[in-house]
Amino acid sequence: VVALALVALLAITEQFVVQHELVQGAQDGHEVNLAGRQRMLSQRITTEALAASFGEPYDGQAFRADIEELHRVHRGLLLGNDSLKLAGFTGSPLQATLESLGPELERVDHEAERLATALSLEDAETARDAARRIRSTVDRFLPVMDGLAYSLDTRSAQANVQVRATELGLFV
């Protein structure tokens, strides 16, 4: 009876550990996806800015919404956000990486305002300059986001290895 109770306790413990790690793995995947979405948004913002600066149709409201979403997810990754289901990386080694992107996002904001003003004044030269500055800022942003996504993915892979080892240890 004692041996049977011990086997049952080990099975329950194994399930608890595995379920907990599966939930964490899903969270890690969600964070990797959001980091990838940040890359996509920044590239879309650059494309929209460059197109608008060369006379293509410009939807300022959609452009602004993309920039606001870029900021919202950035803050969520850094500080947490319930609606995005993010705990945030405050206190983690990734905090400094995310904080280093703050000035870059502010530059995108500033240049987006310059672009909107230039377009409303039909100042093509300033519009092109603002779009080029957005592009160069995003060019600095992308490698950092790549590194962040890679770090998150690596952390997730290491956690999966750890789960397998724990499960094997509990099984044996």
Side-chain angles (χ1 to χ4, degrees):
V1 173
V2 172
L4 189 56
L6 185 58
V7 167
L9 179 63
L10 283 174
I12 291 169
T13 302
E14 176 186 17
Q15 276 305 302
F16 175 77
V17 169
V18 168
Q19 291 302 314
H20 172 75
E21 294 301 326
L22 286 173
V23 168
Q24 184 58 50
Q27 179 64 29
D28 289 347
H30 179 62
E31 291 165 352
V32 170
N33 286 340
L34 284 173
R37 188 163 196 284
Q38 289 292 86
R39 289 181 35 68
M40 180 275 304
L41 270 173
S42 66
Q43 290 170 326
R44 185 164 70 197
I45 288 164
T46 299
T47 301
E48 291 171 354
L50 288 168
S53 75
F54 284 98
E56 294 294 319
Y58 171 72
D59 181 349
Q61 193 171 15
F63 183 70
R64 193 76 220 147
D66 284 346
I67 292 171
E68 288 171 8
E69 181 67 3
L70 191 71
H71 279 283
R72 184 174 82 94
V73 173
H74 177 74
R75 283 189 306 272
L77 287 167
L78 182 59
L79 304 172
N81 181 307
D82 290 339
S83 69
L84 292 172
K85 298 178 182 157
L86 290 170
F89 291 110
T90 302
S92 106
L94 299 176
Q95 179 180 359
T97 300
L98 285 163
E99 286 175 344
S100 76
L101 294 173
E104 303 298 341
L105 293 176
E106 293 305 318
R107 278 187 208 94
V108 168
D109 265 353
H110 173 74
E111 295 304 330
E113 290 300 321
R114 278 186 68 221
L115 175 67
T117 300
L119 290 172
S120 70
L121 297 173
E122 298 181 8
D123 179 354
E125 185 179 328
T126 301
R128 282 191 291 277
D129 182 61
R132 280 192 298 271
R133 289 174 187 240
I134 288 170
R135 184 187 65 205
S136 68
T137 300
V138 167
D139 285 348
R140 290 188 300 273
F141 176 87
L142 287 174
V144 177
M145 282 310 295
D146 281 343
L148 179 70
Y150 178 78
S151 294
L152 293 170
D153 196 40
T154 300
R155 183 183 76 173
S156 180
Q158 290 169 343
N160 284 337
V161 168
Q162 200 170 16
V163 168
R164 289 185 193 119
T166 302
E167 187 175 20
L168 183 60
L170 289 171
F171 181 72
V172 173

